[in-house]
Amino acid sequence: MCQMTSIRKRTWTAPNGEEKNSWQVDYADSSGKRRRKAFARKKAAEAWLTTAAYQVTQGVHTPDSQSITVTKAADLWLKRGEREKLEASTLAAYGQHVRLHIIPLCGDRKLSQITRPMAEGWRDDLMEKLSRPMASRVLRSLTAIVSEAQSRGYVAQNVVAGVKMRRAKREKPKVVIPTKADLKSVINAAKTSTEPMAYPLALIAVFAGLCASELRGLPWRCIDLKAGTVTVDQRADLKNVIGPPKSEAGYRTIPLPASAIAALTAWKLACPPTDQDLVFPSLAKRVMSHQYMNVNIMGAIQLAAGIADPVMKDGKPALDKEQRPMMAQRHTLHDFRHAAASLWIEQRVNPKRVQKWMGHSSIQVTFDTYGHLFDQADQDGAIAAAIEHEILKPTNVNRY
């Protein structure tokens, strides 16, 4: 038990003459300071004191009077994100987590009152109301909120950090990987496109596996035509603002095949100069929007190549004004990123190298996403050249 602890009944008369009573716990916290806490029932006081006594001995007890609510902690966390200039889209997502899910769930609860079983219950509530990926993101935000408050001294421990969103055994990451036939068709269509940047864009998307934001923010200084590499050290967010990669792992250098280097060399001569030295600028010579790059360039290439699927409405193919089936591109920019990873893995690239080239923060992310594709063997030699030959050689064989 805590030093100098006691539970005593306190009785008093309210202003209206009514007699009231409560059970008061007197105890010393970890620093030896005297604390008091009142309960309506003796059993509740005894149960609380048992828990508090253990927390004091472990140095993880926080008096309620020195703690703050989850709502207040969330506000501190969001303001820190603003000070650190997180991307607008990231802040917006965090704000939605807090406003729509966390505050309604537990906003009025003080951090010092949160227990592990309580946090486990919140996890279960989130899983019942939200999809598993969204529930996982909200839980991570809640964990970060309590961690921020802990660093400020508003709570001595983060019990939410131990609550995990375990993946169901049958659940696997669902990634769309374009077939080799689709990749070859897209590259061939890009080569004959009237859009001059289509061909180098398609090649670097397929062979380098850059994120859409990295392609949109790519500067010419990061293309080494002599070494045959592309380096990632910046990206464009959803508001077209150039900034650093999302994480330290985002900084990386990736080899490019000769065909990509040749296409980029030719495109550099034709590329309109921009203030930001962009490889793939918009018509206005600024950062190209994600929508334009994905639909107007890569989407148009796929439609020209016949890499498209009918648009469905109410279970039936949608028709245009001429009563013809409406078609939509089959693959997004992110699908080509998956294609690059699958091609590297097929060439027996070591998992750690795939992780590095993809810019994953941990090898676990790489295994979670592409584990089913790995053959645990490394390959020495010119990997980029082997992939280039596999994709561009004349063949109609579809090995996927």
Side-chain angles (χ1 to χ4, degrees), residues 110-389:
K110 279 200 169 187
L111 301 178
S112 57
Q113 298 171 348
I114 300 175
T115 64
R116 177 63 177 270
M118 189 183 298
E120 295 276 358
W122 293 344
R123 186 263 328 270
D124 295 342
D125 288 344
L126 290 172
M127 290 186 66
E128 288 180 5
K129 298 175 182 178
L130 306 172
S131 66
R132 182 179 290 270
M134 176 56 76
S136 181
R137 288 192 288 271
V138 173
L139 183 62
R140 285 199 299 270
S141 291
L142 179 58
T143 302
I145 287 169
V146 181
S147 179
E148 172 69 15
Q150 183 183 18
S151 69
R152 293 170 177 265
Y154 290 116
V155 68
Q157 61 179 331
N158 186 351
V159 297
V160 185
V163 179
K164 303 300 181 182
M165 191 77 66
R166 295 183 179 85
R167 178 178 295 135
K169 292 183 178 180
R170 295 182 180 179
E171 182 182 359
K172 294 181 179 180
K174 298 176 178 61
V175 297
V176 177
I177 303 177
T179 65
K180 290 180 181 176
D182 280 1
L183 295 177
K184 186 172 183 178
S185 295
V186 165
I187 291 174
N188 287 337
K191 192 171 187 178
T192 58
S193 172
T194 56
E195 170 55 66
M197 74 169 66
Y199 186 49
L201 175 60
L203 288 174
I204 201 168
V206 171
F207 291 127
L210 269 60
C211 297
S213 60
E214 295 166 347
L215 289 168
R216 292 165 49 235
L218 183 65
W220 279 109
R221 62 175 173 76
C222 287
I223 301 290
D224 191 329
L225 297 174
K226 291 185 178 180
T229 61
V230 56
T231 296
V232 177
D233 66 6
Q234 66 179 41
R235 60 190 293 274
D237 66 15
L238 291 178
K239 292 190 175 181
N240 300 334
V241 176
I242 297 292
K246 279 192 170 182
S247 67
E248 188 66 28
Y251 293 89
R252 61 198 191 278
T253 297
I254 306 152
L256 292 172
S259 59
I261 294 300
L264 286 165
T265 300
W267 169 234
K268 188 172 185 179
L269 298 175
C271 180
T274 63
D275 293 340
Q276 295 168 305
D277 193 36
L278 297 171
V279 177
F280 304 115
S282 69
L283 296 175
K285 299 183 180 181
R286 292 192 287 267
V287 175
M288 185 181 297
S289 72
H290 181 279
Q291 175 77 5
Y292 193 92
M293 181 176 284
N294 183 52
V295 177
N296 295 64
I297 298 184
M298 294 302 292
I301 293 171
Q302 292 179 66
L303 294 178
I307 310 299
D309 297 308
V311 177
M312 304 301 291
K313 184 177 182 180
D314 298 328
K316 299 178 181 180
L319 304 177
D320 61 18
K321 294 180 180 180
E322 284 73 35
Q323 297 301 301
R324 295 174 302 187
M326 297 175 64
M327 305 299 289
Q329 67 191 79
R330 183 172 300 161
H331 305 296
T332 66
L333 279 166
H334 204 71
D335 294 340
F336 293 108
R337 175 169 162 80
H338 292 319
S342 68
L343 292 168
W344 291 332
I345 293 169
E346 185 176 284
Q347 291 297 322
R348 294 174 171 263
V349 179
N350 181 274
K352 288 296 292 183
R353 199 185 304 182
V354 174
Q355 175 198 345
K356 182 177 180 180
W357 287 351
M358 291 297 288
H360 289 161
S361 58
S362 71
I363 191 64
Q364 191 60 50
V365 174
T366 308
F367 282 133
D368 285 348
T369 310
Y370 307 113
H372 61 295
L373 300 177
F374 273 107
D375 182 340
Q376 300 293 340
D378 194 12
Q379 176 190 3
D380 295 324
I383 294 167
I387 294 174
E388 176 188 29
H389 175 71

